[in-house]
Amino acid sequence: MNQKTIYPKVATDMFWVQFFWALGFLGVLLVVQIIKAILSIIKGIEMNDYFDAVFIAANIFMLVIGIISSYGFLPYYVSNGVTRKDYFKGSAIASVALSITIPIIASIISVIQIFIVNLIDLSILKDSSLGNATGDEGNMVAELILSIVFTPFIDLQSNWLLAIFVFALNIFIYYLVGWLIGSGFYRFGVLFGLVCIILAFFIIYAQDLLLSLALDLPVHDMFASLQLPIYVAVIGIFVLAGLTFWMIRQLTKRIAIKM
């Protein structure tokens, strides 16, 4: 195969493998939603819709498969003659495609769920309130931790296009920081891996801050007076993503493969 055509094949292969993992993940959440719907009907309580449920769990899912990219895909491809550069480019493309695909699937299923619930006149879905949690006043550490769980969120029913876009941006960043953490541990071991975890926290917090300011969501007091247009936030997030890509590339450029 011509060397110039290898990375699209890597991207395609990685996307389909990770996509089938995502289908399993989405399927489990769908089963959970069905069980919760039955319990909600029986007990007369409200529940979040499917889009909300996936939004909460997808960050951790993408973080984990980002780590797997370093520990699973990198050794496999390089040991089979694929250059580290082609692996990097292929994985980057696959991460973008997966980040777009998951929110689209979640939104389609959620729309079907909402239609069925409305059709049979069940009042079991509650209004979304995700993304509005903040830590203790003045406690930056608490906010850093909460940013892992409660990321900026837009309700699918209020603005479906923006909701999908924000969702995709969130999980894309989580994939990247997982990839960064995995690459740091794989190349330099525990100590540098811990440094990458700290970097990942601040990357996630910076992304959350940019989006929260743009979407007029609660932020730490020291940033409360700032106002940020959505396009500036998006540019800032892409700069963050670019810096993260650069760090990953530096870590994987000459990485020794452990057999």
Side-chain angles (χ1 to χ4, degrees):
M1 181 182 293
N2 189 309
Q3 189 70 17
K4 292 182 179 179
T5 64
I6 290 178
Y7 79 85
K9 178 66 165 58
V10 173
T12 302
D13 289 346
M14 285 189 65
F15 170 76
W16 282 112
V17 170
Q18 293 173 338
F19 175 69
F20 282 115
W21 292 348
L23 285 182
F25 161 74
L26 293 170
V28 168
L29 288 182
L30 181 58
V31 171
V32 171
Q33 277 292 103
I34 293 171
I35 294 172
K36 287 174 67 177
I38 294 171
L39 293 176
S40 295
I41 294 170
I42 294 172
K43 296 182 179 180
I45 57 176
E46 293 182 329
M47 57 179 282
N48 288 321
D49 63 35
Y50 184 74
F51 187 85
D52 295 0
V54 177
F55 185 91
I56 294 169
N59 291 335
I60 304 304
F61 172 76
M62 292 293 276
L63 180 73
V64 170
I65 64 172
I67 294 171
I68 292 173
S69 178
S70 297
Y71 275 87
F73 291 107
L74 173 59
Y76 171 78
Y77 280 114
V78 174
S79 64
N80 281 278
V82 175
T83 66
R84 289 158 181 79
K85 183 177 181 180
D86 281 323
Y87 151 77
F88 173 78
K89 292 166 69 175
S91 185
I93 294 169
S95 69
V96 173
L98 190 66
S99 298
I100 295 170
T101 303
I102 290 176
I104 290 174
I105 294 174
S107 63
I108 291 171
I109 295 176
S110 188
V111 168
I112 294 171
Q113 177 193 28
I114 293 168
F115 173 77
I116 293 173
V117 167
N118 291 337
L119 184 65
I120 57 182
D121 197 24
L122 291 175
S123 300
I124 60 172
L125 297 179
K126 62 183 177 182
D127 293 334
S128 233
S129 58
L130 302 179
N132 297 322
T134 56
D136 296 335
E137 187 174 350
N139 192 334
M140 187 70 75
V141 175
E143 290 203 9
L144 277 170
I145 295 171
L146 278 172
S147 70
I148 300 296
V149 182
F150 299 103
T151 53
F153 175 81
I154 297 295
D155 184 13
L156 183 66
Q157 297 184 68
S158 65
N159 189 329
W160 67 269
L161 188 59
L162 184 59
I164 292 173
F165 180 69
V166 169
F167 191 167
L169 273 181
N170 276 329
I171 61 175
F172 175 60
I173 292 296
Y174 272 82
Y175 186 103
L176 290 188
V177 298
W179 193 6
L180 175 66
I181 292 168
S183 300
F185 273 100
Y186 190 90
R187 181 165 183 176
F188 293 115
V190 174
L191 185 59
F192 191 78
L194 294 175
V195 172
C196 289
I197 290 175
I198 295 171
L199 281 173
F201 266 97
F202 282 101
I203 290 167
I204 290 170
Y205 184 76
Q207 180 241 348
D208 286 354
L209 176 62
L210 288 168
L211 271 182
S212 294
L213 288 170
L215 300 173
D216 198 26
L217 296 175
V219 295
H220 190 275
D221 285 350
M222 73 173 67
F223 304 113
S225 62
L226 297 177
Q227 293 184 339
L228 206 61
I230 186 68
Y231 70 89
V232 175
V234 171
I235 292 172
I237 291 168
F238 280 123
V239 169
L240 272 176
L243 288 172
T244 309
F245 271 130
W246 179 81
M247 288 187 285
I248 294 167
R249 176 61 180 147
Q250 298 311 304
L251 286 171
T252 59
K253 187 184 293 185
R254 295 181 180 87
I255 195 168
I257 301 304
K258 302 171 186 177
M259 307 304 290

